[in-house]
Amino acid sequence: MTSTTVQFLVEMTCDSCVESVKKVLENVDGVKIVDIDLAKSSVVVESSLPILDVQEKLETTGRPVAIKGYDGSMAAVSILEAGDEKIQGVIRFIQVNPNTCIIDGTIDGLNPGNHNIAIHECGDLSTGCASVGKMFVCDSRNKDYGDLGKIVAEKNGRATFRKENNIVKLADVIGRSLVVSSKLNGLPPILLSCGIIARSAGLFQNPKTICACDGTTIWDEASKPNSKSSL
């Protein structure tokens, strides 16, 4: 599995904070600490694990954690905001090289079992998931271009996944929609939830710590469900 490098903002005030962060990440399979900068409250991690898993490890220190950026030629995020209100999730896309796009996400509120995620043609949520169009086909030679495959929700309704896709080019799908669907008894897919795929910050490209409009700190925003400030 291709690893990705992610910059986290972790509230640290002293050297013991740094040691605490190091300790929770040491000897975790699939995780390599690239850099910890106390002055910038920055923790850069290279990992093949789902991003949420790494974030939750950092949060065990008791410190607020926010995601600042991703290493790659391009990054994007889709926040599920239309469809079934009980379904919430964040799906991140990282184009780590010209031939590999990592799709990393966590979705809550699903019925246990198999579901499907796909890229659809339109970034139009004006009538919910009914206006996202058909599944996106960028390459006429590959009719399944937009099909990102199966995800599995556990008994608690959560699906956490990390997919390595060698077909999708992120530049072609920004502005379109990510759709979660369910298929039953051979019937056409039921579109459950969807969100627009929007470009997000690359590594060290997000300097934001305070919102200029209302003074909200990134820690305030990171504590809100589906917050866009740290995506």
Side-chain angles (χ1 to χ4, degrees):
M1 173 66 75
T2 301
S3 62
T4 51
T5 302
V6 182
Q7 182 191 15
F8 295 91
L9 191 66
V10 182
E11 194 172 65
M12 299 179 291
T13 57
C14 60
D15 290 337
S16 64
C17 298
V18 173
E19 291 303 314
S20 179
V21 169
K22 284 182 180 178
K23 186 175 180 179
V24 298
L25 295 180
E26 283 178 349
N27 303 317
V28 176
D29 289 341
V31 171
K32 175 185 176 183
I33 302 174
V34 177
D35 182 66
I36 300 179
D37 189 323
L38 173 61
K40 296 180 180 179
S41 297
S42 171
V43 178
V44 180
V45 177
E46 181 181 330
S47 174
S48 58
L49 300 180
I51 293 170
L52 179 66
D53 288 1
V54 180
Q55 182 173 347
E56 288 180 341
K57 288 283 185 186
L58 290 168
E59 287 173 345
T60 63
T61 64
R63 294 170 176 80
V65 179
I67 297 168
K68 289 283 282 182
Y70 318 89
D71 189 19
S73 60
M74 188 176 293
V77 65
S78 178
I79 299 174
L80 300 179
E81 53 187 334
D84 189 333
E85 291 183 356
K86 78 175 188 295
I87 298 174
Q88 297 186 347
V90 176
I91 299 89
R92 300 177 175 91
F93 299 77
I94 307 168
Q95 191 78 50
V96 293
N97 60 53
N99 298 312
T100 305
C101 182
I102 299 295
I103 300 157
D104 181 298
T106 301
I107 301 173
D108 289 309
L110 297 169
N111 290 328
N114 295 338
H115 301 271
N116 200 77
I117 55 173
I119 299 164
H120 281 234
E121 294 173 331
C122 307
D124 178 5
L125 306 183
S126 58
T127 57
C129 298
S131 52
V132 297
K134 298 178 181 179
M135 189 175 75
F136 179 54
V137 179
C138 178
D139 186 344
S140 61
R141 297 166 297 179
N142 188 341
K143 299 299 183 183
D144 296 324
Y145 182 97
D147 187 353
L148 303 181
K150 182 178 73 174
I151 60 173
V152 181
E154 303 298 332
K155 291 181 179 180
N156 62 1
R158 168 170 285 189
T160 299
F161 53 91
R162 180 186 174 91
K163 295 175 175 288
E164 185 171 314
N165 187 295
N166 302 119
I167 299 173
V168 168
K169 309 299 182 190
L170 191 47
D172 295 327
V173 304
I174 288 176
R176 304 186 189 278
S177 293
L178 186 284
V179 176
V180 183
S181 63
S182 181
K183 193 171 183 178
L184 300 173
N185 301 323
L187 297 173
I190 300 170
L191 307 189
L192 301 175
S193 187
C194 51
I196 296 170
I197 302 170
R199 186 160 185 168
S200 62
L203 200 66
F204 307 121
Q205 291 179 348
N206 182 5
K208 179 179 177 181
T209 55
I210 298 177
C211 177
C213 56
D214 63 5
T216 301
T217 70
I218 197 168
W219 308 120
D220 297 328
E221 288 296 306
S223 66
K224 297 177 183 178
N226 292 340
S227 169
K228 297 183 180 181
S229 71
S230 58
L231 302 172

